[in-house]
Amino acid sequence: MDRCTTDNFQSIVAFFAERKVRLVAVSKTQANNRILALYHQGQRDFGENRVDELVLKQAQLPEDIQWHFVGHLQSKKVKHIAPFVSMIQSVDSVKLLQKINDQAEKNNRIISVLLQVKIASEKNKYGFEVNDLRKFFKNKPDKHYKHIRLRGLMGMATLTDDEGQIQKEFAKLCALFEELKMTPKLKDFDILSMGMSGDYHLALAQGANMVRLGSLLFQD
Ligand SMILES: *Cc1c(COP(=O)(O)O)cnc(C)c1O
């Protein structure tokens, strides 16, 4: 590791620990030795965005890593990660949620999920529309998905230099999170995953309690 040295990584860890924010190291495209370098410094939450890559890495790396899936997930591929994945952060449809529930049941597991919300202005970004999500929560989700633990929301802001816009998008997601949290009988709905290497400072200011950092941790 060149720039992300032990000292540097420990100060990043301390920064988020002080703020009670959970740090997910997004290790997509990174070689196993670089993942292990963070693992040996205590990091356990790692995120991947491709099923094939995640399955390979899970088989080769320590068992106690908590793998987060953060990319677009096709329903037909859920079965490959259902046996071991710790949290699926990118659930963007009811169909996918149902599939995860079914596969979790097959594996005799309960899988934690975050629902991805479309907050960015870009057309190509995935996620639930806000109003569809409101409808979903009116439908007593706690009753329908016995093998899913609905832990919270995830969102990605627009890729832009306009900090005001990013701030607004994160604020919107936080307000929605607070609103949905009030849904009766919803337990454990307590994670707001927003912020990446370029915008985590804005996400923290808007109430994120989980960040997903890639390039900042794995600098060349
Ligand atoms: C790649 C990725 C990240 C990390 O991005 P960086 O800018 O490298 O920190 C976070 N979240 C998701 C969903 C990603 O795909």
Side-chain angles (χ1 to χ4, degrees), residues 26 28 49 70-71 154 156 196-198 212-216:
V26 179
K28 63 189 186 204
N49 71 342
V70 300
M154 186 273 261
M156 290 166 87
M196 321 199 316
S197 296
R212 310 174 312 274
L213 302 187
S215 45
L216 192 76

Side-chain angles (χ1 to χ4, degrees), residues 12-78:
I12 292 171
V13 167
F15 175 87
F16 289 108
E18 265 167 37
R19 290 161 177 78
K20 298 196 163 48
V21 170
R22 189 161 157 196
L23 170 62
V24 177
V26 179
S27 51
K28 63 189 186 204
T29 75
Q30 301 298 333
N32 288 350
N33 65 333
R34 306 199 77 189
I35 296 173
L36 281 171
L38 297 191
Y39 176 87
H40 290 310
Q41 292 177 68
Q43 180 67 23
R44 290 296 179 271
D45 289 303
F46 288 90
E48 291 285 336
N49 71 342
R50 297 188 53 183
V51 168
D52 302 353
E53 187 175 342
L54 173 54
V55 167
L56 265 180
K57 285 176 170 172
Q58 192 272 336
Q60 295 166 345
L61 289 162
E63 286 237 359
D64 62 339
I65 288 183
Q66 309 231 354
W67 292 105
H68 297 247
F69 194 81
V70 300
H72 181 61
L73 181 57
Q74 289 175 275
S75 293
K76 64 176 187 200
K77 292 198 171 178
V78 172

Side-chain angles (χ1 to χ4, degrees), residues 157-169 199 202:
T158 304
L159 198 60
T160 171
D161 290 335
D162 182 352
E163 296 208 337
Q165 182 180 351
I166 297 172
Q167 198 174 345
K168 268 189 216 148
E169 292 171 357
D199 57 17
L202 297 169

Side-chain angles (χ1 to χ4, degrees), residues 18 48 61 80 86 96 106 126 140 146 151 162 175 181 188 200 210 217:
E18 265 167 37
E48 291 285 336
L61 289 162
H80 302 300
S86 173
L96 178 59
K106 274 195 181 147
Y126 291 106
K140 301 194 169 56
K146 299 282 186 208
R151 291 298 309 268
D162 182 352
K181 226 161 96 172
D188 309 328
Y200 71 84
M210 178 181 275
L217 303 181

